[in-house]
Amino acid sequence: MTTQLAQRRLLTEIPGPASRALQERRGDAVAAGVGSVLPVYITSADGGLLTDADGNRLIDLGSGIAVTNVGHNAPAVVDRVRAQAAEFTHTCFMVTPYEGYVRVCEELQALTPGDHAKRSVLFNSGAEAVENAVKIARVATGRQAVVVFDHAYHGRTNLTMALTAKSVPYKHGFGPFAPEVYRVPGSYPYRDGLTGPEAAAAALDRIEKQIGGDQVAAVVIEPIQGEGGFIEPAPGFLPALADWCSRHGVVFVADEVQTGFCRTGDWFASNHENVVPDLIATAKGIAGGLPLAAVTGRAELMDAVPSGGLGGTYGGNPIACAAALGSIETMHAERLDVAARGIADTVLPRLRAIAERTGVIGDLRGRGAMLAAEFVKPGTNEPDAALTGRIAKACHAAGVVVLTCGTYGNVVRLLPPLSLSAELLDEGISVLEQAILAEAGK
Ligand SMILES: *Cc1c(COP(=O)(O)O)cnc(C)c1O
């Protein structure tokens, strides 16, 4: 293996002719409902660089939406996947089980917050995990109501569409949605100006008056909201909700699908305020790119569902489990929690300087390697989605993959692989800085 330091490389415009030809073919074969942020067609990826069909190399500041936390081809993941694929690809854990599934559940038991007795069940996607957390909470409590929040994103299946806040594109036209889902205000310090305890009091008052605490099976929340805009609740908000849940026999479900596995500078975002969820849904970063998801939680809740009530043909596929074990091993060995915090320390001061210089960043927020800039019209808090879109496009044209998000479409979010080299991170952020300065007219 050569150890040549790879760099960003633009050989053609982005997307180049080979990618554009594939995009043409795609139009005749792939459903239009699947979008692509940046239609460059990838042929390989290594060290935080995506190589496309035209030979361009792009810096990845998106990690395939917070999935490749350990990089796109971490050796421990690749080796274990290869070895497992050579042994067997599938038996179905519900038919004849295998050790890898059990080992992943043991790891989840050790890594997730709280030292109570826990059990886990494995699935394929984040939506499936969240949906099953609700199933478990309903059986365990004998109640039906589920509380979710403004700006929430929990997935695209029927139940998780109901849990998700934003209509276009996630819900529009796809109804009817599942009943017994109630939405309350969350905590969005930049826009609501409330402290955590104040925001929690408002949400809990709504729950008690409009639903009744004794009717609620579960409160489902992202400890830092993802698609909704990388919204960090004000300190004290999550602990107040968790405390209310424990006093009312309500299952507190943390959706850590995007925030989990070292992304925010700790193994889970719940750790930042010492919140111990009753159930925790994980996916994305868990398995270095292979489809795997989990619900982990209190043994007495998890075991309330009788045998056969949970599962799925592919849930906890042996190759995906092997990838998860390699991914977790890499996070430990490379201290990727510490690396994530280092990314915040590098990026935030630089973007803060740009915010002061341009006046177009209303709020800069995030933890670890889950960082966001919310763009507004200068001197106001009015969202500027058009500027946000132009900045993202300029980054793409320069060979840097950034994603946007937010209820108002005005947030640039950064989710680099936690293993990204300091050089590539520096270069990626420089490109973003230039794009902001140019598009903001500074
Ligand atoms: C991505 C995401 C989901 C859905 O996960 P899928 O694997 O796409 O089904 C659920 N919750 C959160 C917070 C997410 O970011």
Side-chain angles (χ1 to χ4, degrees):
M1 233 170 84
T2 57
T3 51
Q4 183 190 348
L5 264 187
Q7 290 177 329
R8 179 170 60 116
R9 177 174 77 182
L10 297 183
L11 300 179
T12 68
E13 59 184 326
I14 302 287
S19 282
R20 290 202 303 272
L22 283 162
Q23 185 72 356
E24 277 278 320
R25 263 172 64 193
R26 163 189 173 145
D28 292 330
V30 179
V34 192
S36 292
V37 171
L38 174 56
V40 293
Y41 283 72
I42 302 305
T43 54
S44 68
D46 183 24
L49 284 167
L50 306 171
T51 302
D52 75 11
D54 293 284
N56 299 300
R57 285 203 292 250
L58 296 88
I59 298 175
D60 183 10
L61 299 184
S63 300
I65 319 188
V67 170
T68 50
N69 293 6
V70 297
H72 305 88
N73 56 355
V77 173
V78 173
D79 291 349
R80 284 174 184 266
V81 163
R82 269 211 188 96
Q84 180 58 49
E87 294 297 335
F88 65 96
T89 57
H90 176 83
T91 62
C92 186
F93 193 75
M94 301 186 304
V95 179
T96 50
Y98 38 87
E99 186 186 358
Y101 191 116
V102 180
R103 284 196 55 198
V104 170
C105 294
E106 288 168 349
E107 291 287 348
L108 286 165
Q109 186 169 358
L111 293 171
T112 53
D115 50 14
H116 49 277
K118 294 175 204 162
R119 303 284 184 268
S120 293
V121 53
L122 305 182
F123 302 101
N124 306 295
S125 71
E128 241 190 310
V130 173
E131 180 144 357
N132 277 278
V134 170
K135 285 167 61 174
I136 293 162
R138 282 178 170 159
V139 166
T141 59
R143 306 174 184 177
Q144 296 187 348
V146 179
V147 174
V148 289
F149 295 84
D150 287 340
H151 310 289
Y153 181 86
H154 297 291
R156 295 173 179 273
T157 59
N158 186 265
L159 178 58
T160 57
M161 275 194 294
L163 305 180
T164 291
K166 194 173 178 176
S167 174
V168 177
Y170 305 125
K171 304 169 74 165
H172 191 74
F174 293 134
F177 303 111
E180 287 304 310
V181 173
Y182 299 87
R183 191 171 310 285
V184 301
S187 169
Y188 193 163
Y190 173 60
R191 294 196 173 275
D192 65 25
L194 300 177
T195 66
E198 286 166 354
L204 294 171
D205 182 63
R206 185 81 71 87
I207 295 169
E208 289 184 344
K209 299 293 183 316
Q210 297 189 7
I211 316 165
D214 63 354
Q215 301 296 299
V216 179
V219 167
V220 180
I221 189 161
E222 301 154 87
I224 299 176
Q225 291 182 312
E227 306 304 300
F230 278 29
I231 304 164
E232 276 183 279
F237 178 73
L238 292 174
L241 287 184
D243 178 61
W244 180 87
C245 286
S246 78
R247 283 186 287 109
H248 290 79
V250 174
V251 179
F252 183 82
V253 180
D255 177 349
E256 293 239 20
V257 167
Q258 191 156 167
T259 49
F261 289 95
C262 298
R263 175 53 57 186
T264 66
D266 209 325
W267 277 88
F268 296 95
S270 296
N271 295 123
H272 293 279
E273 287 194 89
N274 295 317
V275 168
V276 178
D278 298 311
L279 300 180
I280 176 164
T282 53
K284 291 197 166 101
I286 189 173
L290 273 82
L292 189 73
V295 180
T296 301
R298 295 186 186 280
E300 66 276 17
L301 301 175
M302 298 292 297
D303 286 342
V305 181
S307 179
L310 302 174
T313 305
Y314 291 114
N317 168 272
I319 299 176
C321 286
L325 296 172
S327 173
I328 291 166
E329 181 187 305
T330 305
M331 287 179 203
H332 280 300
E334 298 183 6
R335 286 307 306 263
L336 291 184
D337 52 340
V338 177
R341 278 177 258 150
I343 289 173
D345 293 343
T346 302
V347 173
L348 285 176
R350 290 179 59 174
L351 292 185
R352 204 164 289 128
I354 295 286
E356 278 161 23
R357 208 166 136 192
T358 59
V360 296
I361 298 178
D363 195 27
L364 193 60
R365 55 182 177 250
R367 273 177 237 159
M370 183 169 182
L371 302 170
E374 175 161 355
F375 289 91
V376 294
K377 307 257 162 74
T380 73
N381 69 358
E382 198 187 319
D384 195 340
L387 172 64
T388 308
R390 290 202 308 274
I391 290 167
K393 274 208 156 57
C395 290
H396 298 166
V400 175
V401 179
V402 297
L403 305 173
T404 61
C405 66
T407 298
Y408 314 106
N410 66 325
V411 176
V412 168
R413 56 169 154 173
L414 301 175
L415 292 164
L418 309 184
S419 55
L420 191 67
S421 72
E423 292 72 26
L424 288 179
L425 179 65
D426 176 60
E427 195 180 340
I429 297 303
S430 297
V431 166
L432 174 61
E433 287 170 342
Q434 292 311 313
I436 297 171
L437 290 172
E439 297 303 329
K442 299 286 160 170

